[in-house]
Structures are given as structure tokens and as C-alpha cells.
Amino acid sequence: MEKKDIQNRNDIDQLMRQFYDKLLSDDDMAPIFEKVVAKGLEDHFDILVDFWDNILFFTGAYKNNAMAKHMELNAWFPLKEIHFKKWLDFFNESVMELFEGEKATLAMERAQQIAILMQMKIVGNDSLI
Ligand code: HEM
């Protein structure tokens, strides 16, 4: 069956749940999300949906500084290349399993750009390219 494009917040929510199923099933990634899971994943999904809604549909929904959050995260759990690689692979897999189209492609492009930037700042290299 032909896949549809990402069209709204509901689609982004579905994408995030598929993505987090993969992250939380992976032995390298799951420990990084321990605190988020303890606080409650639903609140986290709300923030992620705002973030991607803003990137894909320019809604202005997301107001935080995602880069700063990950610098804090890195101080608690030092992030390595393998984490960035798996994060991006799981993200792309999730998009491709569910969606197809201009916004789906844009989501994967933006995820890669931001992941590279984040890895540059945190690990100091851009080996994701
Ligand atoms: C090694 C790769 C990554 C890991 C392990 C990771 C993990 C996490 C964790 C644990 C949080 C929760 C932080 C908290 O609430 O204190 C978080 C938040 C978030 N992540 Fe990531 N992340 C990664 C890469 C990325 C990338 C590349 C993006 C964007 C394309 C991204 C977007 C976000 C956003 C928007 C939030 C919410 C921040 C907020 O509370 O405003 N993450 N991430």
C-alpha cells in the first residue's frame, strides 16, 4: 500500500511512538532515556511533537533550546558516536516505515543536520556525514 506523507501533529505523534519503541528496545539507547521514562513519556512526546511540528510546518510551537538540553544530558550521560548513529538510524527507519513524501524527506534531512551539529558540539567530529 502506498504510504502517505506526514500531514499533522497526529502523524508526528505516531512517528515519535514508533521511533521511541526502537530507542527504548535498544540496550545502548534505553539507559539514556531512564529519567524521561521515570518522569513520564507522554509529556516528552508532547514536547517532541511541538518540535517537529515547528520544523515541518513552521508553527512556532517549540520554544525551548534543544541543543542546550542535550549539552545538559551529555553532562549526565556522556554521548558517543554510536548513540548519534543509532538515534539517526532509528529515526530514519521509523520515518520510512510509516511515511513517504516531501515532509517525510524534510524530517530526515533536518534530523541529520541537527544530529551532525549536535555530535560536532558534543563529540567533536562529524562522522555521521
Ligand atoms: C545521541 C542522540 C540523542 C539522544 C541520546 C537524545 C536523547 C534525548 C533525551 C534523553 C532527551 C530528554 C532530555 C530532558 O528532558 O532532559 C531528549 C530531548 C529532546 N531531544 Fe534528543 N537526543 C538525541 C538527539 C537528538 C536530535 C538529533 C534531535 C533533533 C533533531 C533531538 C531532539 C530532541 C528534542 C526536541 C528534545 C526535547 C527537549 C526539550 O525538553 O525541549 N534529539 N533527547
Side-chain angles (χ1 to χ4, degrees):
M1 207 176 77
E2 203 168 300
K3 297 189 191 88
K4 65 184 187 68
D5 203 357
I6 303 170
Q7 284 166 338
N8 51 42
R9 291 177 65 87
N10 219 36
D11 291 343
I12 299 172
D13 188 75
Q14 189 194 1
L15 172 61
M16 289 301 120
R17 286 169 199 277
Q18 183 105 341
F19 178 36
Y20 271 69
D21 272 354
K22 295 180 195 293
L23 288 172
L24 299 177
S25 310
D26 185 277
D27 288 346
D28 289 321
M29 302 306 285
I32 307 175
F33 292 88
E34 197 178 278
K35 287 190 191 176
V36 182
V37 171
K39 266 191 285 174
L41 266 182
E42 292 305 315
D43 288 348
H44 185 55
F45 285 139
D46 285 346
I47 299 171
L48 294 178
V49 172
D50 280 349
F51 178 82
W52 286 105
D53 198 20
N54 185 47
I55 293 215
L56 300 177
F57 303 106
F58 320 106
T59 54
Y62 183 76
K63 302 284 185 214
N64 302 345
N65 180 341
M67 199 60 76
K69 284 270 177 191
H70 294 81
M71 302 306 280
E72 282 169 33
L73 170 64
N74 182 58
W76 169 68
F77 192 112
L79 299 172
K80 309 273 182 262
E81 275 178 42
I82 180 75
H83 302 123
F84 288 94
K85 185 172 175 6
K86 286 196 171 186
W87 187 98
L88 195 60
D89 284 350
F90 289 150
F91 185 90
N92 288 338
E93 277 174 26
S94 307
V95 172
M96 288 187 287
E97 280 162 12
L98 295 171
F99 301 103
E100 194 177 302
E102 197 184 311
K103 297 293 181 184
T105 302
L106 180 61
M108 291 190 282
E109 286 171 359
R110 298 292 285 130
Q112 191 192 24
Q113 287 164 353
I114 299 167
I116 288 170
L117 193 66
M118 211 178 261
Q119 187 182 299
M120 276 293 295
K121 283 182 189 262
I122 290 176
V123 185
N125 71 54
D126 58 5
S127 68
L128 273 173
I129 296 172

